[in-house]
Amino acid sequence: MLEQVIGAGLIVLALGDMFATTLYARIVMGPASELLSRAIWWTFHRVAGLAPHALRDLIFSFCGPIVISALVLAWAVLLTVGSALMIHPALGTGVVASHGPTPADFVTAMYAGGGSIAVVKASDFAPTTDAFRILFLINSLLGLSLISLALTYLVQVYSALQRRNTIARRIDALTGHTGDAAELVAGLGPQGHFGTGYTSLSSTADGLGAITEAHHFYPAMFYFRFREEVYSVSRFSQVSLDGVSLIKSGLRDADFVWFKESAAVAQLWAAALVLLRTLTDHYLPGKAGDSAAPPDAATAARWRRRYAQALGRLREAGIHTIEDEQAGAENYVALRTEWDRYIRILSPALNFRSIEVDPATSDPDAVEQRPDFRSRLHSAG
């Protein structure tokens, strides 16, 4: 009786885990899936951290696919072991072999249990009581449901990842493939004309909001870490939030008040910040803290240098910047304080370095060596 109760519990655990992971549309997984996913992620994080830098990206790129495969395998194993535990005490009575004597070992019970949940199977064992006939019928339905849910979940996850990568590529292209939000803002409004750029920014904000919801529906997306840094959630979120920070603190109010107060700018800020908070709070709980602590003197100085360089880039593009640059720098530091800690926490969790996520702040000398923005007038790319 105890063996069968444990078996029933494992089947219920598998069903609940499948429901929470694939059907419950919030950023949660079932308890077994959550534990297994985090264990695989931790293992990859440790192994990639010890590996040579050239192999780090390659190693971690397998984390997401292995997590998805492990989840499906875990559900199948739970159903199989649970069925085996329920069948084992009844071998030879409630469940018998179709030909010859019925073995009573647990391996045979596993084989009979696995066969009962398989969609296509040989009838090596047959139930002889109504209770086990119902069990075999339920198991066959569960097996069919497992395959259907797994395939559907797999397709939806990869579709959501494709959309996430599309947004990442779009934001990277808007920065001129530099990862610098100043290039994004300058490209949106060359010579101070943000009319067309507003439409592009609004579309990007819509896409970023959709990506935030995709992570709620398919939390396994977090574990997919692509080799190219442009696909990093930290990177395209950082570019989005840094871009809004520069718009709010760097553009001259008299010329661009309509743009600074626009819904597209507010939406881009909200979508990127919610995405970072959601991922950090769920996967790295407690690390971000309850409030934004002010940066230390060295960090604040680095941010102010980044701000000054960004304003210089905007002026090269013919955009009127704020007249009181010192007040603008203080505003930029205050805005950046609201989101920078999420980037610093989330980036190393997927083995990205700061220079890969925020190259403009991490390597200001490289920013100064870029060609003048006006060189775009007679060149492309």
Side-chain angles (χ1 to χ4, degrees):
M1 180 65 71
L2 178 60
E3 190 175 8
Q4 291 180 324
V5 169
I6 295 174
L10 290 180
I11 292 176
V12 171
L13 174 62
L15 293 177
D17 203 80
M18 290 168 59
F19 172 82
T21 303
T22 64
L23 299 177
Y24 186 65
R26 288 292 89 185
I27 189 166
V28 294
M29 287 182 168
S33 294
E34 188 79 29
L35 181 62
L36 181 60
S37 299
R38 288 180 180 271
I40 294 173
W41 172 41
W42 182 87
T43 301
F44 270 92
H45 193 277
R46 295 299 180 186
V47 172
L50 296 174
H53 179 72
L55 295 178
R56 181 199 61 184
D57 295 342
L58 175 63
I59 291 172
F60 222 110
S61 67
F62 287 98
C63 182
I66 288 179
V67 166
I68 291 290
S69 303
L71 295 184
V72 177
L73 180 62
W75 296 332
V77 168
L78 285 173
L79 289 176
T80 299
V81 174
S83 298
L85 289 170
M86 296 189 70
I87 292 171
H88 184 226
L91 285 175
T93 55
V95 178
V96 298
S98 301
H99 306 285
T102 303
D105 58 281
F106 190 73
V107 174
T108 300
M110 287 276 289
Y111 179 74
S116 69
I117 66 173
V119 177
V120 179
K121 61 182 183 296
S123 55
D124 294 340
F125 292 88
T128 61
T129 64
D130 290 342
F132 280 98
R133 291 189 186 98
I134 293 174
L135 175 64
F136 272 54
L137 175 61
I138 292 175
N139 280 350
S140 65
L141 295 176
L142 293 179
L144 180 62
S145 299
L146 170 62
I147 293 175
S148 300
L149 285 174
L151 290 177
T152 302
Y153 190 68
L154 186 66
V155 170
Q156 294 297 332
V157 166
Y158 276 90
S159 295
L161 284 171
Q162 188 270 339
R163 293 192 296 272
R164 188 180 78 179
N165 286 1
T166 300
I167 288 294
R169 274 292 181 188
R170 178 174 186 169
I171 292 175
D172 181 62
L174 288 173
T175 69
H177 308 292
T178 64
D180 186 351
E183 298 289 336
L184 180 146
V185 177
L188 289 175
Q191 304 306 315
H193 299 293
F194 281 96
T196 303
Y198 176 85
T199 303
S200 178
L201 190 68
S202 179
S203 177
T204 302
D206 287 341
L208 198 55
I211 294 304
T212 301
E213 278 307 301
H215 278 273
H216 279 110
F217 276 72
Y218 314 110
M221 287 175 60
F222 172 80
Y223 300 107
F224 281 81
R225 194 270 199 198
F226 293 89
R227 297 174 68 177
E228 299 86 351
E229 64 271 11
V230 298
Y231 296 126
S232 167
V233 172
S234 300
R235 174 154 167 156
F236 66 73
S237 298
Q238 185 274 333
V239 171
S240 301
L241 291 166
D242 198 25
V244 174
S245 299
L246 291 174
I247 290 170
K248 294 285 190 180
S249 63
L251 301 187
R252 193 162 71 182
D253 291 348
D255 298 297
F256 305 111
V257 62
W258 70 272
F259 186 56
K260 298 172 76 169
E261 295 179 348
S262 66
V265 173
Q267 183 183 6
L268 185 66
W269 172 275
L273 193 56
V274 168
L275 176 59
L276 289 178
R277 283 175 176 168
T278 299
L279 296 180
T280 303
D281 292 345
H282 181 75
Y283 294 100
L284 302 162
K287 290 185 177 287
D290 297 328
S291 60
D296 56 45
T299 300
R302 189 168 65 251
W303 290 357
R304 290 189 181 94
R305 182 182 180 185
R306 186 277 180 285
Y307 177 75
Q309 287 182 325
L311 260 58
R313 197 64 172 173
L314 297 183
R315 286 191 288 268
E316 287 180 9
I319 298 173
H320 293 155
T321 59
I322 190 170
E323 296 172 346
D324 187 348
E325 190 170 323
Q326 183 175 355
E330 295 305 316
N331 189 17
Y332 175 78
V333 170
L335 288 168
R336 183 155 184 163
T337 301
E338 295 187 39
W339 54 264
D340 186 78
R341 68 188 188 279
Y342 297 110
I343 301 295
R344 287 187 284 105
I345 293 168
L346 202 57
S347 298
L350 291 175
N351 274 342
F352 281 110
R353 296 174 300 162
S354 59
I355 196 169
E356 295 173 311
V357 173
D358 186 10
T361 306
S362 302
D363 189 8
D365 294 334
V367 176
E368 295 176 350
Q369 295 171 7
R370 288 181 195 158
D372 191 287
F373 188 85
R374 286 162 289 198
S375 63
R376 288 191 181 192
L377 183 62
H378 300 293
S379 66

